[in-house]
Structures are given as C-alpha cells and as structure tokens.
Amino acid sequence: ASLILALRRAKHGSSFRLKESVKHQNVLDVFQKAKGGDHTSDGNSSESSFAERNERSSVCIGPNDWLTGRSVGNGSQHLLSCESILSSMAMAVPSWLASKKPSRAGMLWAKLICEGSREGFNNELKKQDEIIDSLVTNVSTDTPILVIFQRNYLKANALTRQRKAATNPKATCVWSACQEEEWKQYMSSCRNCEALWIGSSCQQQTKS
C-alpha cells in the first residue's frame, strides 16, 4: 500500500490526495502502466508510464511463494528467488540499484525473510545493517528508498489460516479462547510495522 501511494504521489504531484477507498492494486502494474503527464519542449503533454520514462525494468526479490503473486502479464520484470535475508541473493537488492550499474532497476521490490531464531538473530541483524549501508553508499541520492520492518508475519499468517479452518462450521477441530488471544497478539504485532524512508535529493523542476 505504501508503494502504491508513493507512485500515485509521483504521478499527481502537488495535486495528490488520499482517496477514501482504494481498491487493491498490483504495484508492478502501477509502475508499468500508470501514466504521468510530462510536457514536451513545444508545450504539449506527453503521457508515458513510469517504466517508459526511466527506461528501466522492475525487479522483485523474495521467496518463491511470494514471487508467484508479483508476476505481470507482459513478463517485463525480473523475478529473483531469495528465501532468507542470510542468502547471498539478498545483496542483489543494493546491487540492482547501484548508481554505477548501467542496467540498474527502475523499480525494485524485495521481501527479505528474517527467521528470528535465537541462533541466527545476530547474523540477521548484521545482514540488515550490511544491506542498508550498501544502499546508502552505492545508490544514487535521487533514488527514494522505503524500508518496512514487519514482525511475526509468518506466525500471524499461519495462525490466521488455522483459525479460518477451525472456525469453519464443518470443522471438527476446536479453536480455543487461548488460541484466539494468541492470534490477536500476533496480529497486533504484525500490523504495527516500522517504515524508514532513506531520503532523496530529488527536487521538482518547473519551467518558466
């Protein structure tokens, strides 16, 4: 949802306003198809999509089951499998955005999984710091970067599926009050995300 709003803000500029209800949209569809009003040297409006204007492809990096929902019909994006933040593929995130790379992505969307196990927690924190440091160091300052931290998603998702099955009138298993309370706690934790914008030096240019 945050990415959709960012793309809408880029499209509409100062006229951007939040709508009361927005239907679910595929971020990649918005990037590939949403039109923005550019103005040519002769003053005429020339509408083109974000992808057409920056002449770069979109890239998705994440677990295989997540990637299946990111595919766009025209197949114009790159899908790279990365099952864990500790995978070497995680460093493809700053690599695809590096300012010195001729084929750098026009838009990159990644989902990096942290298991949070007692054994791997410190290594995951180190890898997070490594990725953030590389983004700040190697990515052009006119590239806006949004990093979102979401806790307990896998557990909340598993409990939600279990709850849906158990509360079905035809189900033979029982969903207890203790399970309901555990589910609520994990849902609350999962919904309270932290978003970090890594600033951009982009400035809106106006023509006299």
Side-chain angles (χ1 to χ4, degrees):
S2 298
L3 289 174
I4 291 292
L5 291 176
L7 288 172
R8 282 182 52 211
R9 176 64 177 83
K11 173 184 176 181
H12 296 290
S14 59
S15 64
F16 169 75
R17 296 291 185 277
L18 287 175
K19 297 180 180 179
E20 291 185 2
S21 60
V22 180
K23 65 179 181 180
H24 178 74
Q25 293 177 290
N26 186 313
V27 172
L28 298 179
D29 274 334
V30 175
F31 179 75
Q32 297 287 348
K33 301 175 183 178
K35 303 294 183 179
D38 285 342
H39 293 278
T40 60
S41 57
D42 58 5
N44 295 323
S45 177
S46 174
E47 289 199 345
S48 58
S49 70
F50 295 114
E52 292 169 339
R53 279 186 281 169
N54 66 28
E55 298 180 341
R56 300 187 186 280
S57 60
S58 53
V59 178
C60 290
I61 302 174
N64 287 325
D65 59 347
W66 179 77
L67 290 175
T68 57
R70 310 282 83 79
S71 178
V72 177
N74 58 17
S76 59
Q77 78 280 21
H78 300 278
L79 303 177
L80 307 177
S81 176
C82 179
E83 295 296 330
S84 167
I85 194 172
L86 296 178
S87 166
S88 59
M89 184 57 71
M91 292 308 296
V93 173
S95 176
W96 270 96
L97 294 174
S99 56
K100 295 182 179 180
K101 185 173 182 178
S103 59
R104 67 183 181 274
M107 175 180 174
L108 187 143
W109 189 7
K111 179 179 181 179
L112 303 180
I113 300 294
C114 297
E115 298 294 340
S117 64
R118 185 171 300 177
E119 298 78 12
F121 181 71
N122 288 334
N123 290 331
E124 290 175 344
L125 287 180
K126 291 178 181 178
K127 193 61 173 286
Q128 288 180 33
D129 290 341
E130 184 181 354
I131 293 172
I132 297 293
D133 182 67
S134 185
L135 287 171
V136 173
T137 303
N138 299 315
V139 178
S140 174
T141 55
D142 63 0
T143 302
I145 301 171
L146 174 61
V147 181
I148 300 176
F149 299 92
Q150 186 177 33
R151 299 177 179 84
N152 296 317
Y153 171 79
L154 295 178
K155 181 66 174 178
N157 188 46
L159 284 175
T160 298
R161 292 183 178 184
Q162 183 182 350
R163 179 178 183 269
K164 182 178 181 180
T167 54
N168 188 304
K170 299 180 180 179
T172 57
C173 55
V174 177
W175 183 257
S176 68
C178 291
Q179 288 175 303
E180 179 72 11
E181 186 60 30
E182 181 186 24
W183 173 76
K184 288 180 179 179
Q185 291 176 1
Y186 274 105
M187 288 297 293
S188 177
S189 174
C190 183
R191 286 168 174 163
N192 292 315
C193 304
E194 297 175 8
L196 170 65
W197 277 103
I198 299 179
S200 166
S201 65
C202 285
Q203 294 183 351
Q204 185 176 357
Q205 297 182 354
T206 57
K207 296 183 179 181
S208 58

